[in-house]
Amino acid sequence: MIDSFKVLLFFILGLTIGVFFNLPEFLTSDKFLLYTLYFLIFFAGISIGGSFNLLDIIKKIKVSEIFFPFGVAFCSIIGGLVASVFFDDISFKDGASVSAGFGYYSLSSVLITEMRGEYLGTIALLSNIIREISTFLISAIIVKKFYPLSPIALGGATSMDTTMPVILKTSGKEFVLLSIYNGIILSSLVPVLIPMILST
């Protein structure tokens, strides 16, 4: 959770510098953001590909759990569509794209900022950070009230790294592989689904 607050602090710091300081033109250009996005997607791919052996994990996952992350993705996007109904300035497409970040705030916020502007990019950043923080705060509660898989679904893309310790503690060791698998699949879907949703 500390990492989430660090991200928020850096965002606020960047916002403050952007407002009060006269920065070089290249730092505020769309082209700079675009190349930053390319690098981010490239290193996200390296991180996902190099951290785990996905094929080995899939072989060890139960057949009934193979489609779990896709169910999480579907329900998250439906949640974004429903939430957009309550906001006049957020379309169904915008709501779906924000929720398709699946908690991967760094990549999703940059992608959405590039395609739809700073306003929606900021909403994506904050909503996906809130998703991660919520996993830390309420995992113990939702395991008791609902099901051991609930924290994995709530953690989304972060279930393979930052929120895994709390998932391990609340859901149990038997769900570690599913937690990693869920995080890998959802993280891989983010750079595919967001452009797909926003370009339709």
Side-chain angles (χ1 to χ4, degrees), residues 115-128:
M115 298 188 74
R116 293 285 287 144
E118 290 83 1
Y119 175 69
L120 195 65
T122 302
I123 291 174
L125 174 68
L126 295 176
S127 65
N128 283 291

Side-chain angles (χ1 to χ4, degrees), residues 123-192:
I123 291 174
L125 174 68
L126 295 176
S127 65
N128 283 291
I129 286 177
I130 289 169
R131 182 171 182 163
E132 181 178 307
I133 292 172
S134 298
T135 308
F136 285 109
L137 296 178
I138 66 172
S139 283
I141 298 171
I142 60 176
V143 163
K144 290 180 181 178
K145 294 286 184 182
F146 299 103
Y147 194 65
L149 296 180
S150 302
I152 300 175
L154 180 60
T158 69
S159 67
M160 70 174 181
D161 43 52
T162 55
T163 59
M164 190 192 293
V166 73
I167 290 169
L168 177 63
K169 184 177 180 180
T170 56
S171 299
K173 293 179 181 178
E174 64 269 30
F175 295 106
V176 169
L177 272 181
L178 178 59
S179 184
I180 295 170
Y181 170 68
N182 180 69
I184 291 172
I185 296 299
L186 291 176
S187 296
S188 302
L189 288 176
V190 171
V192 176

Side-chain angles (χ1 to χ4, degrees), residues 31 40 44 65 70 78 88 101 113 115 132 135 138 153 164 186:
K31 189 171 286 188
L40 186 57
E65 296 173 340
F70 301 99
I78 294 298
D88 294 333
T113 298
M115 298 188 74
E132 181 178 307
T135 308
I138 66 172
M164 190 192 293
L186 291 176

Side-chain angles (χ1 to χ4, degrees), residues 74-87 90-93 95-96 99:
F74 177 77
C75 291
S76 295
I77 291 171
I78 294 298
L81 290 171
V82 171
S84 65
V85 172
F86 300 97
F87 299 93
I90 296 179
S91 67
F92 285 131
K93 188 185 293 187
S99 60

Side-chain angles (χ1 to χ4, degrees), residues 34-52 104 106-107 110 160-161 187-188 191:
L34 182 62
Y35 287 126
T36 302
L37 175 60
Y38 291 155
F39 276 109
L40 186 57
I41 292 173
F42 174 71
F43 285 111
I46 289 176
S47 177
I48 294 167
S51 297
F52 307 99
Y104 198 162
S106 57
L107 180 56
V110 176
M160 70 174 181
D161 43 52
S187 296
S188 302

